Amino acid sequence: MSKEARLELDGKVFTLPTVEGTEGEKAVDVSTLRAATQYITLDDGYGNTGSCTSKVTFIDGDKGILRYRGIPIEELAERSTFVETSYLLIYGTLPTRAQLKTFSDLLTRHQFLHEDMTYHFEGFPTAAHPMAILSSMINAASCFDAGLMNWQWGKNQQFDIYAAQLISQVRTIAAYSYRKSKGLPLIYPKQSYKYTENFLHMMFSMPYEDFEIKPEVVKALDLIFLLHADHEQNCSTSTVRMVASSQANLFASCAAGVCALWGPLHGGANQAVLEMLDQIHRDGDDGSKFIAAAKDKNSGKKLMGFGHRVYKNHDPRATIIKKACDDVLAKLNISDPLLDIAKKLEEAALKDSYFVERKLYPNVDFYSGIIMRAIGIPVEMFTVIFAIGRMPGWIANYKEIMEEPKSRIYRPRQIYTGRTLNPFVPLGDRK
Ligand code: ACO
């Protein structure tokens, strides 16, 4: 029998049901609270609010656990690929050989953009941030498909195609936005290349010469995509669910996710980490001055790539990526002074009582930027790489919200703290 919570308010006792997840996570269900008591719950920043139940991803932030559909991230990082993991997230199980082939074929078939879309890239100034281009162009892509614009969940059978189209085209759009920012000709995807190889080809090949695709580079980038593929109800995924709850189409919902991801406190942190390391290097600091500034609330500085709303022990993705970073730098025979600074910063911060007491540890972004720099990804593309990786997670969450029979539009309440009734004063009488 499920437990009930008892709440005493204004001299009356109310009972509220509780909910328990498959991993023992507990919640008090407050959905009837306002109707019964006139009170709402107030939770600025949603730190203590479950916005949904979900079967996609499990995180235990205290133990540093991350699992996609029950499978530990460490096993997926070791044994899976981004494409296979995408299938797992969206459809709930690892694909059979035949299912994986069908899914991969769909990705290949839908990787080209509508040719007219290429003209839209012309309208952006060269200095436009690729995240701005990415979100606009994902939304624009839906305008080129009448079926998608008018598509309604449950009424059309095209979800598999649209999901594959989005995963595949986000990579093409991302590469095109980079080419545009450099004034380079667009390079079309190649049928013979797999997902990650094709991204590198579209980014770096030239019409007269194909880019040399090194297996260690493909492996490192594929791992980055996979590690970012989902992370339960973070800022961007909640945004996707919020937009999807109004029954907006898949592309519009995921374009909103890209906007939410852009900020430096979320996906934009990978770019911010590299800029921070570069600044420390240029200042000739060994990291100690920056750490002192990050502890001073008046400095406006933070140790970027440190801290997480959920992980309070370690971020398992950071552990995997730190090792991958060492491996790829060794294989490519690169020595990077910024990696040395990152290691010193991490060592110093992990011994510093400020960071220890607040349980601030390196997150996935702390080392991912160094790998991306080593494999030649320009810094302004770092968050775009994160967005490509996160696409299957957003799609899985979109699908989940559409399949939920009791799904309602997301509409939080607020406590109003502004002026009370305030009569309009005509312009001539205002002081
Ligand atoms: N450097 C210095 N101090 C920090 C840092 C940091 N990176 N992160 C948190 N703190 C401090 C806060 O100032 C606060 O101190 P206080 O208790 O004295 O006021 C305390 O630690 C708790 O931090 P909150 O801001 O309450 O943590 P919250 O859960 O709201 O934020 C966040 C988490 C946004 C990730 C934050 O740690 C941060 O800004 N980190 C740097 C940016 C970053 O790396 N973002 C990527 C997140 S991972 C991802 O999106 C993939």
Short mmCIF file of all heavy atoms in Angstrom, two decimals, residues 298-333:
data_model
loop_
_atom_site.label_atom_id
_atom_site.label_comp_id
_atom_site.label_asym_id
_atom_site.label_seq_id
_atom_site.Cartn_x
_atom_site.Cartn_y
_atom_site.Cartn_z
N ASN A 298 31.78 38.44 -5.25
CA ASN A 298 31.73 39.75 -5.91
C ASN A 298 32.52 39.79 -7.21
O ASN A 298 32.48 40.77 -7.94
CB ASN A 298 32.29 40.84 -4.96
CG ASN A 298 31.45 40.92 -3.70
OD1 ASN A 298 30.21 40.84 -3.78
ND2 ASN A 298 32.10 41.04 -2.54
N SER A 299 33.28 38.74 -7.48
CA SER A 299 34.15 38.78 -8.68
C SER A 299 33.36 38.53 -9.96
O SER A 299 33.83 38.81 -11.06
CB SER A 299 35.24 37.72 -8.56
OG SER A 299 34.66 36.42 -8.76
N GLY A 300 32.16 37.94 -9.82
CA GLY A 300 31.37 37.61 -11.01
C GLY A 300 31.93 36.39 -11.74
O GLY A 300 31.50 36.07 -12.84
N LYS A 301 32.92 35.71 -11.12
CA LYS A 301 33.51 34.55 -11.80
C LYS A 301 33.08 33.26 -11.12
O LYS A 301 32.83 33.22 -9.91
CB LYS A 301 35.03 34.64 -11.75
CG LYS A 301 35.54 35.80 -12.56
CD LYS A 301 37.01 35.66 -12.89
CE LYS A 301 37.39 36.71 -13.91
NZ LYS A 301 38.52 37.50 -13.56
N LYS A 302 33.02 32.21 -11.93
CA LYS A 302 32.74 30.87 -11.42
C LYS A 302 33.75 29.94 -12.03
O LYS A 302 34.25 30.21 -13.13
CB LYS A 302 31.35 30.42 -11.89
CG LYS A 302 30.22 30.82 -11.00
CD LYS A 302 28.93 30.24 -11.54
CE LYS A 302 27.82 30.37 -10.50
NZ LYS A 302 26.57 29.79 -10.98
N LEU A 303 34.02 28.85 -11.35
CA LEU A 303 34.88 27.84 -11.96
C LEU A 303 34.01 27.05 -12.94
O LEU A 303 33.24 26.17 -12.55
CB LEU A 303 35.45 26.94 -10.85
CG LEU A 303 36.52 25.94 -11.28
CD1 LEU A 303 37.63 26.60 -12.07
CD2 LEU A 303 37.11 25.25 -10.05
N MET A 304 34.09 27.43 -14.21
CA MET A 304 33.21 26.82 -15.22
C MET A 304 33.57 25.34 -15.38
O MET A 304 34.74 24.97 -15.33
CB MET A 304 33.33 27.55 -16.56
CG MET A 304 32.92 29.01 -16.49
SD MET A 304 31.34 29.30 -15.66
CE MET A 304 30.19 28.73 -16.89
N GLY A 305 32.53 24.51 -15.56
CA GLY A 305 32.77 23.07 -15.66
C GLY A 305 32.79 22.41 -14.30
O GLY A 305 33.08 21.22 -14.18
N PHE A 306 32.50 23.20 -13.25
CA PHE A 306 32.41 22.65 -11.90
C PHE A 306 31.01 22.84 -11.36
O PHE A 306 30.39 23.87 -11.59
CB PHE A 306 33.40 23.36 -10.96
CG PHE A 306 34.62 22.54 -10.67
CD1 PHE A 306 35.54 22.27 -11.67
CD2 PHE A 306 34.83 22.01 -9.41
CE1 PHE A 306 36.66 21.51 -11.42
CE2 PHE A 306 35.94 21.24 -9.15
CZ PHE A 306 36.86 20.98 -10.15
N GLY A 307 30.54 21.85 -10.62
CA GLY A 307 29.23 21.96 -9.98
C GLY A 307 28.14 21.37 -10.83
O GLY A 307 28.26 21.29 -12.07
N HIS A 308 27.10 20.92 -10.19
CA HIS A 308 25.96 20.35 -10.91
C HIS A 308 24.77 20.35 -9.97
O HIS A 308 24.91 20.13 -8.77
CB HIS A 308 26.27 18.90 -11.34
CG HIS A 308 25.37 18.44 -12.44
ND1 HIS A 308 24.14 17.92 -12.21
CD2 HIS A 308 25.54 18.47 -13.79
CE1 HIS A 308 23.57 17.63 -13.37
NE2 HIS A 308 24.39 17.96 -14.34
N ARG A 309 23.59 20.61 -10.52
CA ARG A 309 22.38 20.62 -9.70
C ARG A 309 22.12 19.23 -9.10
O ARG A 309 21.67 19.12 -7.96
CB ARG A 309 21.19 21.09 -10.54
CG ARG A 309 19.83 20.99 -9.88
CD ARG A 309 19.69 21.84 -8.62
NE ARG A 309 19.85 23.24 -8.83
CZ ARG A 309 18.91 24.08 -9.28
NH1 ARG A 309 17.71 23.62 -9.56
NH2 ARG A 309 19.15 25.36 -9.42
N VAL A 310 22.43 18.18 -9.83
CA VAL A 310 22.07 16.84 -9.37
C VAL A 310 23.27 16.07 -8.81
O VAL A 310 23.17 15.46 -7.74
CB VAL A 310 21.42 16.03 -10.52
CG1 VAL A 310 21.03 14.64 -10.05
CG2 VAL A 310 20.17 16.75 -11.04
N TYR A 311 24.40 16.08 -9.50
CA TYR A 311 25.56 15.31 -9.02
C TYR A 311 26.21 16.01 -7.84
O TYR A 311 26.67 17.14 -7.97
CB TYR A 311 26.60 15.12 -10.13
CG TYR A 311 26.11 14.27 -11.25
CD1 TYR A 311 26.09 14.76 -12.55
CD2 TYR A 311 25.66 12.98 -11.04
CE1 TYR A 311 25.63 13.99 -13.59
CE2 TYR A 311 25.20 12.20 -12.07
CZ TYR A 311 25.18 12.70 -13.34
OH TYR A 311 24.73 11.94 -14.37
N LYS A 312 26.26 15.33 -6.71
CA LYS A 312 26.89 15.93 -5.54
C LYS A 312 28.04 15.06 -5.05
O LYS A 312 28.50 15.17 -3.92
CB LYS A 312 25.85 16.12 -4.41
CG LYS A 312 24.70 17.04 -4.79
CD LYS A 312 25.15 18.47 -5.11
CE LYS A 312 24.02 19.36 -5.59
NZ LYS A 312 24.45 20.57 -6.29
N ASN A 313 28.48 14.14 -5.89
CA ASN A 313 29.60 13.28 -5.54
C ASN A 313 30.60 13.29 -6.69
O ASN A 313 31.70 13.80 -6.60
CB ASN A 313 29.06 11.87 -5.26
CG ASN A 313 30.12 10.88 -4.95
OD1 ASN A 313 31.23 10.96 -5.46
ND2 ASN A 313 29.81 9.92 -4.11
N HIS A 314 30.19 12.74 -7.82
CA HIS A 314 30.95 12.96 -9.05
C HIS A 314 30.01 12.78 -10.23
O HIS A 314 28.98 12.14 -10.11
CB HIS A 314 32.16 12.02 -9.14
CG HIS A 314 31.82 10.61 -9.51
ND1 HIS A 314 31.39 9.67 -8.59
CD2 HIS A 314 31.83 9.98 -10.70
CE1 HIS A 314 31.15 8.53 -9.23
NE2 HIS A 314 31.41 8.68 -10.49
N ASP A 315 30.38 13.37 -11.35
CA ASP A 315 29.62 13.23 -12.59
C ASP A 315 30.26 12.06 -13.34
O ASP A 315 31.42 12.17 -13.77
CB ASP A 315 29.73 14.56 -13.37
CG ASP A 315 28.99 14.54 -14.72
OD1 ASP A 315 28.71 13.43 -15.22
OD2 ASP A 315 28.74 15.63 -15.26
N PRO A 316 29.55 10.94 -13.50
CA PRO A 316 30.19 9.77 -14.11
C PRO A 316 30.67 10.04 -15.54
O PRO A 316 31.63 9.45 -16.01
CB PRO A 316 29.07 8.71 -14.11
CG PRO A 316 27.80 9.45 -13.96
CD PRO A 316 28.12 10.70 -13.19
N ARG A 317 30.03 10.99 -16.21
CA ARG A 317 30.44 11.33 -17.57
C ARG A 317 31.81 12.01 -17.55
O ARG A 317 32.62 11.84 -18.46
CB ARG A 317 29.41 12.25 -18.23
CG ARG A 317 28.01 11.67 -18.26
CD ARG A 317 26.98 12.73 -18.59
NE ARG A 317 26.99 13.83 -17.63
CZ ARG A 317 26.32 14.97 -17.76
NH1 ARG A 317 25.57 15.16 -18.82
NH2 ARG A 317 26.39 15.92 -16.84
N ALA A 318 32.06 12.78 -16.47
CA ALA A 318 33.35 13.47 -16.37
C ALA A 318 34.49 12.47 -16.21
O ALA A 318 35.57 12.64 -16.77
CB ALA A 318 33.32 14.46 -15.21
N THR A 319 34.23 11.39 -15.44
CA THR A 319 35.26 10.37 -15.23
C THR A 319 35.60 9.71 -16.57
O THR A 319 36.77 9.52 -16.90
CB THR A 319 34.73 9.29 -14.24
OG1 THR A 319 34.12 9.98 -13.14
CG2 THR A 319 35.81 8.37 -13.77
N ILE A 320 34.55 9.37 -17.35
CA ILE A 320 34.78 8.70 -18.64
C ILE A 320 35.52 9.65 -19.59
O ILE A 320 36.47 9.28 -20.27
CB ILE A 320 33.42 8.27 -19.27
CG1 ILE A 320 32.71 7.26 -18.37
CG2 ILE A 320 33.62 7.70 -20.67
CD1 ILE A 320 31.25 7.01 -18.74
N ILE A 321 35.09 10.89 -19.59
CA ILE A 321 35.64 11.83 -20.58
C ILE A 321 37.07 12.24 -20.23
O ILE A 321 37.88 12.50 -21.11
CB ILE A 321 34.69 13.03 -20.74
CG1 ILE A 321 34.64 13.42 -22.19
CG2 ILE A 321 35.03 14.18 -19.88
CD1 ILE A 321 33.39 14.13 -22.59
N LYS A 322 37.38 12.26 -18.96
CA LYS A 322 38.75 12.61 -18.56
C LYS A 322 39.72 11.56 -19.12
O LYS A 322 40.78 11.88 -19.64
CB LYS A 322 38.84 12.68 -17.04
CG LYS A 322 40.18 13.15 -16.56
CD LYS A 322 40.20 13.26 -15.07
CE LYS A 322 41.57 13.68 -14.58
NZ LYS A 322 41.67 13.64 -13.13
N LYS A 323 39.33 10.28 -19.00
CA LYS A 323 40.19 9.20 -19.50
C LYS A 323 40.28 9.29 -21.03
O LYS A 323 41.36 9.16 -21.61
CB LYS A 323 39.62 7.85 -19.05
CG LYS A 323 40.49 6.71 -19.49
CD LYS A 323 40.08 5.37 -18.97
CE LYS A 323 40.99 4.28 -19.56
NZ LYS A 323 41.17 4.37 -20.99
N ALA A 324 39.12 9.52 -21.68
CA ALA A 324 39.12 9.61 -23.14
C ALA A 324 40.01 10.77 -23.60
O ALA A 324 40.67 10.68 -24.64
CB ALA A 324 37.69 9.82 -23.64
N CYS A 325 40.03 11.82 -22.81
CA CYS A 325 40.82 13.01 -23.14
C CYS A 325 42.31 12.64 -23.14
O CYS A 325 43.04 12.94 -24.08
CB CYS A 325 40.52 14.07 -22.09
SG CYS A 325 41.16 15.66 -22.47
N ASP A 326 42.74 11.95 -22.07
CA ASP A 326 44.14 11.51 -22.00
C ASP A 326 44.46 10.62 -23.20
O ASP A 326 45.50 10.77 -23.83
CB ASP A 326 44.39 10.72 -20.70
CG ASP A 326 44.46 11.68 -19.50
OD1 ASP A 326 44.78 12.86 -19.72
OD2 ASP A 326 44.18 11.24 -18.37
N ASP A 327 43.54 9.66 -23.52
CA ASP A 327 43.79 8.70 -24.61
C ASP A 327 43.94 9.40 -25.95
O ASP A 327 44.87 9.15 -26.69
CB ASP A 327 42.62 7.69 -24.74
CG ASP A 327 42.60 6.72 -23.58
OD1 ASP A 327 43.56 6.75 -22.77
OD2 ASP A 327 41.63 5.95 -23.47
N VAL A 328 42.99 10.30 -26.24
CA VAL A 328 42.99 10.90 -27.57
C VAL A 328 44.19 11.84 -27.74
O VAL A 328 44.82 11.86 -28.80
CB VAL A 328 41.63 11.57 -27.90
CG1 VAL A 328 41.47 12.93 -27.31
CG2 VAL A 328 41.40 11.65 -29.38
N LEU A 329 44.55 12.55 -26.69
CA LEU A 329 45.72 13.43 -26.79
C LEU A 329 46.99 12.62 -27.01
O LEU A 329 47.86 13.01 -27.80
CB LEU A 329 45.84 14.34 -25.56
CG LEU A 329 45.22 15.72 -25.75
CD1 LEU A 329 43.73 15.71 -25.88
CD2 LEU A 329 45.63 16.66 -24.65
N ALA A 330 47.08 11.46 -26.31
CA ALA A 330 48.26 10.61 -26.49
C ALA A 330 48.30 10.05 -27.91
O ALA A 330 49.34 10.08 -28.58
CB ALA A 330 48.24 9.48 -25.46
N LYS A 331 47.14 9.56 -28.40
CA LYS A 331 47.11 8.95 -29.74
C LYS A 331 47.42 9.98 -30.83
O LYS A 331 48.07 9.67 -31.82
CB LYS A 331 45.74 8.33 -30.01
CG LYS A 331 45.63 6.97 -29.36
CD LYS A 331 44.47 6.17 -29.94
CE LYS A 331 44.32 4.87 -29.18
NZ LYS A 331 42.98 4.70 -28.60
N LEU A 332 46.94 11.18 -30.64
CA LEU A 332 47.19 12.21 -31.66
C LEU A 332 48.51 12.95 -31.41
O LEU A 332 48.85 13.88 -32.13
CB LEU A 332 46.03 13.22 -31.69
CG LEU A 332 44.65 12.67 -32.07
CD1 LEU A 332 43.58 13.74 -31.92
CD2 LEU A 332 44.64 12.13 -33.49
N ASN A 333 49.19 12.51 -30.34
CA ASN A 333 50.49 13.08 -30.00
C ASN A 333 50.41 14.60 -29.80
O ASN A 333 51.20 15.36 -30.33
CB ASN A 333 51.48 12.74 -31.12
CG ASN A 333 52.89 12.76 -30.60
OD1 ASN A 333 53.08 12.80 -29.37
ND2 ASN A 333 53.86 12.77 -31.49
#
